Amino acid sequence: MEQLRLIKVGRVLDKEYDVVVVGGGPGGSSTAKTLADKGLRVALFEKRPSIGSEKRCAEGLSIGSIKIIEDIFGKVPKKCFARMINGAIVYAPNGKNVLVDFGKDAGAIMERKIFDKWLAMQASKAGAYVQSKTEVYDVIKEGNSVRGVMINFEGKKYEIRSKVVVAADGVESTVARKAGLNTTNKLINIDSGYQYEMSNLKLKDSKKIEIFMGNEIAPRGYVWIFPKGKDVANVGIGIAMSKKPARYYLDKFIEENPKIFSESSIIEVNSGGIPVGGFLENMVMDGLVVVGDAAHQVNPIHGGGMKEATIAGNIAGEVIYRAIKKNNMSILKKYNKLWWKERGKHLRKVERLREVVEKLSDDELNKLADVLKGEDLIEFSRGERLLKLGKILIKNPDLIQLAKKLM
Amino acid sequence: MGWTIDREKCLKCGACVSVCPFLALELKDDGIKIDRNKCTLCGICEKVCPVGAIKVNKGGKSAR
Ligand SMILES: Cc1cc2nc3c(=O)[nH]c(=O)nc-3n(C[C@H](O)[C@H](O)[C@H](O)COP(=O)(O)OP(=O)(O)OC[C@H]3O[C@@H](n4cnc5c(N)ncnc54)[C@H](O)[C@@H]3O)c2cc1C
Ligand code: SF4
Ligand code: SF4
């Protein structure tokens, strides 16, 4: 078989693989690792020079999500964690706060520029060819089938053929669209995210994340403080369909809270789009599977997508393996079915809940904070046990409408 | 005129790319690239940009 060398040392790049994975985020690495573990020949291309940076993420993961990721990748080393978190403080628009204290580690703020690299290294260790600074600028099509990709490495263009292409190219999602599968998300389903990594903060409790709600603070969204150290944190905002850009609201929030920010410095600036709905019934073509943000697989309430991308990549890997072994591309369709069964049904429910929550007035949010306890709020944000929450809310005359929607 | 971007403000995050119905935008090494033949000046990308780097002037001629 013909081979290429992008650089003089290291692995040789073949001109043909079983699977080409586009994107070096959690979704791409999870797919590549799953496939390489099964002995398939996989190449993963990431267009940015460094996998994992600049981050477009607040880096939060629950302990449950970390366990799921470890089932696929093995034990995550300490260097990937910035700080363990044991709870949350959620602020209603009127400033009243609800404390969630788990009394033990319940989540972590990661260091994604280390974490994402580690994930990609595990894919490479399993046997995948991983190459950064290599853009997939087009797909190769024969009739309606995808048969590989065109890559650009330092201005040189190469054709890489494969039985299946995995579009794990994040929110941009151009690979699937170029192949002819429309993954364009609606404006209403994309949050604008903006964030500073800040130092020298005066945090109330650096083991707890802080969430600030309110239509003045963050229209249809929230401001977050995710601590990465005693006085360091990701301070960010996610909002949708607002008159002013996300940056305006975050800067305003920082200005209005000198107690936290008066001595702070900005270490890094991040922005990004967060898909918060618009799940796709079909994420498959002959020779193409879409994974992660590219397929809008994110929790519509809290915007977390690392776990979702990892799970979807694993499902995709299993299905692609079967399709290739049986030499039957129609098996790829099973990815739709399995993803909807394992994740889609639940996330669709959370999306409906988001549609209810985003219409709440500040008054209603304040009342919600009065009625709900910390644990209830966590379940609420995950879209779990809504019936139970509905039963609590229905006792309050002002929240009956909301309660009915939950039940 | 038409579609403009403030490259000093742009953080190369790709949010605009994700919502363009016409695949007129792509995120390259050196920032956002627009295909002015595809852009219809619909203005959706302007609304999603977290830093307000894109301006779409619908009254303007075409994006060309
Ligand atoms: C402000 C913000 C805060 C967030 N906070 C959290 C949080 O706290 N917790 C959480 O779990 N999630 C969070 N998310 C979401 C999370 O970052 C994503 O859901 C997650 O990274 C998705 O993984 P992915 O592998 O699908 O895509 P990505 O991680 O985006 O990876 C896609 C990769 O593909 C590359 N790529 C794109 N096009 C090409 C191409 N043509 N050729 C080669 N490579 C290409 C990109 O450069 C990128 O590296 C947040 C997102 C934002 C914007
Ligand atoms: S104005 Fe509309 S068509 Fe033009 S780049 Fe923006 S989203 Fe695409
Ligand atoms: S959304 Fe704004 S900041 Fe992000 S890439 Fe597009 S123009 Fe740049």
Side-chain angles (χ1 to χ4, degrees):
Chain A
M1 191 176 303
E2 239 190 300
Q3 294 180 318
L4 310 162
R5 249 185 212 287
L6 294 192
I7 49 171
K8 286 211 176 70
V9 290
R11 287 181 65 179
V12 173
L13 174 65
D14 295 332
K15 293 193 107 177
E16 207 177 325
Y17 283 87
D18 289 323
V19 184
V20 164
V21 178
V22 190
S29 289
S30 164
T31 317
K33 161 102 165 89
T34 305
L35 287 165
D37 274 341
K38 292 181 178 297
L40 289 197
R41 296 170 51 258
V42 187
L44 181 154
F45 300 112
E46 163 58 51
K47 71 175 168 183
R48 294 193 280 174
S50 176
I51 287 177
S53 52
E54 308 293 319
K55 69 178 186 283
R56 299 164 187 150
C57 188
E59 305 176 296
L61 276 180
S62 70
I63 289 283
S65 299
I66 294 167
K67 287 221 176 82
I68 289 170
I69 291 170
E70 290 191 329
D71 282 344
I72 295 161
F73 285 94
K75 183 128 189 74
V76 179
K78 279 220 158 58
K79 63 179 180 189
C80 299
F81 296 86
R83 192 164 187 81
M84 298 311 290
I85 296 297
N86 64 22
I89 311 170
V90 183
Y91 297 83
N94 62 8
K96 189 190 153 164
N97 69 62
V98 183
L99 177 73
V100 189
D101 196 341
F102 290 99
K104 58 170 192 224
D105 290 343
I109 311 304
M110 312 302 288
E111 189 62 61
R112 273 197 76 171
K113 63 168 173 269
I114 299 175
F115 182 50
D116 281 27
K117 270 187 192 155
W118 181 81
L119 295 175
M121 285 173 201
Q122 303 322 298
S124 134
K125 235 186 213 166
Y129 176 100
V130 176
Q131 178 75 51
S132 59
K133 206 168 180 286
T134 304
E135 183 199 18
V136 170
Y137 69 91
D138 210 351
V139 294
I140 301 168
K141 275 188 85 176
E142 280 169 11
N144 288 323
S145 313
V146 177
R147 290 287 173 260
V149 296
M150 298 299 299
I151 61 170
N152 179 344
F153 177 75
E154 295 183 339
K156 288 201 204 77
K157 297 180 173 172
Y158 305 90
E159 182 181 300
I160 309 291
R161 299 231 148 211
S162 66
K163 297 179 181 124
V164 180
V165 172
V166 176
D169 52 338
V171 76
E172 297 157 57
S173 200
T174 55
V175 171
R177 287 189 278 169
K178 282 179 180 170
L181 185 72
N182 190 0
T183 55
T184 311
N185 211 344
K186 291 209 191 86
L187 188 57
I188 185 153
N189 288 324
I190 291 270
D191 272 12
S192 302
Y194 186 71
Q195 175 177 271
Y196 299 121
E197 185 167 335
M198 302 181 93
S199 69
N200 220 22
L201 295 162
K202 293 192 197 75
L203 298 173
K204 191 163 180 175
D205 178 347
S206 69
K207 294 289 270 179
K208 295 198 170 51
I209 60 169
E210 291 182 77
I211 301 288
F212 301 81
M213 317 259 315
N215 290 305
E216 298 289 314
I217 297 170
R220 202 197 95 171
Y222 59 89
V223 165
W224 63 78
I225 300 180
F226 281 15
K228 295 183 77 173
K230 272 205 175 86
D231 58 0
V232 182
N234 289 327
V235 180
I237 190 169
I239 56 169
M241 303 282 284
S242 56
K243 291 209 181 61
K244 300 222 166 69
R247 179 185 174 172
Y248 164 86
Y249 291 97
L250 185 64
D251 286 349
K252 185 162 109 38
F253 175 83
I254 288 170
E255 226 173 276
E256 285 167 1
N257 287 280
K259 266 196 195 148
I260 310 172
F261 299 107
S262 63
E263 303 294 322
S264 65
S265 292
I266 294 170
I267 303 305
E268 191 176 298
V269 186
N270 311 116
S271 75
I274 312 166
V276 289
F279 303 112
L280 301 166
E281 294 297 332
N282 178 36
M283 303 170 282
V284 173
M285 282 172 63
D286 181 2
L288 183 96
V289 176
V290 193
V291 162
D293 273 19
H296 319 157
Q297 295 161 340
V298 174
N299 177 305
I301 291 259
H302 60 58
M306 283 189 268
K307 172 183 94 174
E308 298 302 339
T310 309
I311 296 176
N314 187 243
I315 299 174
E318 299 284 345
V319 172
I320 293 167
Y321 174 74
R322 266 186 272 159
I324 288 180
K325 278 291 135 180
K326 299 223 160 105
N327 200 13
N328 177 0
M329 283 302 144
S330 66
I331 291 178
L332 292 180
K333 287 262 177 231
K334 288 231 161 77
Y335 171 67
N336 288 327
K337 214 167 146 195
L338 283 173
W339 183 82
W340 273 97
K341 185 165 156 249
E342 273 189 42
R343 300 307 305 157
K345 259 170 68 189
H346 170 71
L347 291 175
R348 172 65 58 83
K349 260 194 348 204
V350 182
E351 184 182 15
R352 297 281 167 266
L353 179 64
R354 188 211 85 208
E355 286 162 1
V356 176
V357 174
E358 73 193 16
K359 292 197 187 83
L360 295 179
S361 66
D362 280 2
D363 270 353
E364 286 168 316
L365 284 171
N366 289 333
K367 274 174 198 135
L368 208 56
D370 281 338
V371 178
L372 291 184
K373 287 202 284 293
E375 310 83 74
D376 304 331
L377 266 184
I378 294 293
E379 283 173 359
F380 196 77
S381 81
R382 291 191 184 138
E384 283 162 11
R385 283 179 240 245
L386 298 180
L387 194 63
K388 182 191 123 195
L389 296 177
K391 282 182 184 154
I392 302 174
L393 300 185
I394 208 154
K395 290 180 196 136
N396 188 312
D398 298 310
L399 294 170
I400 286 177
Q401 287 312 321
L402 174 60
K404 281 192 183 146
K405 285 193 184 122
L406 299 183
M407 302 163 77
Chain B
M1 270 303 126
W3 185 99
T4 54
I5 185 167
D6 183 339
R7 295 198 182 272
E8 302 293 324
K9 275 190 189 163
C10 172
L11 286 161
K12 303 184 193 176
C13 69
C16 52
V17 178
S18 70
V19 293
C20 174
F22 305 100
L23 203 54
L25 301 176
E26 280 193 69
L27 179 56
K28 300 283 182 187
D29 266 2
D30 49 353
I32 290 293
K33 193 183 111 205
I34 182 162
D35 182 339
R36 294 185 185 271
N37 292 315
K38 290 185 185 161
C39 175
T40 63
L41 300 180
C42 71
I44 293 179
C45 55
E46 175 180 9
K47 296 205 179 82
V48 87
C49 176
V51 296
I54 297 176
K55 291 278 172 288
V56 181
N57 182 349
K58 289 184 195 177
K61 291 180 208 147
S62 73
R64 276 167 248 199

